[in-house]
Amino acid sequence: LKLYEYLAAGIPVVSTGIPSALRMKDYVEIADEATEFERAVAVCLESDKASDVSSRREEASRNTWDQRVAAIAGIIRRDLKLPAESA
């Protein structure tokens, strides 16, 4: 959840290689070791541009609570073999 909040704020993100961060690797610096983490933070601080802020915010806007709830509800309906919800 914090990943989307940080992206919505437009700030650079450095994370370990957890699945949610790996899915967002175009917007997140991944670092699993201390030296990698230091490098990733330096990269974020040195190369943060207005276009980076905009792209982070745009990506976050594609991950709203409504979208996440709908996706989860779809998985539950599928797994319980319930009919799809009509629009």
Side-chain angles (χ1 to χ4, degrees), residues 3-4 13-31:
L3 175 61
Y4 294 116
V13 177
V14 178
S15 175
T16 58
I18 60 174
S20 58
L22 291 172
R23 285 190 297 273
M24 307 293 283
K25 67 183 180 195
D26 291 341
Y27 306 95
V28 176
E29 289 290 322
I30 306 295

Side-chain angles (χ1 to χ4, degrees), residues 2-68:
K2 288 294 181 191
L3 175 61
Y4 294 116
E5 291 174 7
Y6 297 148
L7 293 176
I11 61 175
V13 177
V14 178
S15 175
T16 58
I18 60 174
S20 58
L22 291 172
R23 285 190 297 273
M24 307 293 283
K25 67 183 180 195
D26 291 341
Y27 306 95
V28 176
E29 289 290 322
I30 306 295
D32 288 313
E33 302 293 328
T35 54
E36 292 173 354
F37 206 85
E38 289 178 34
R39 177 209 50 83
V41 169
V43 166
C44 285
L45 292 174
E46 293 170 7
S47 64
D48 193 33
K49 302 181 290 280
S51 61
D52 296 328
V53 172
S54 294
S55 66
R56 288 185 206 112
R57 287 181 174 159
E58 184 177 325
E59 179 59 26
S61 74
R62 289 190 282 268
N63 292 284
T64 66
W65 278 111
D66 288 340
Q67 292 164 325
R68 297 185 70 71

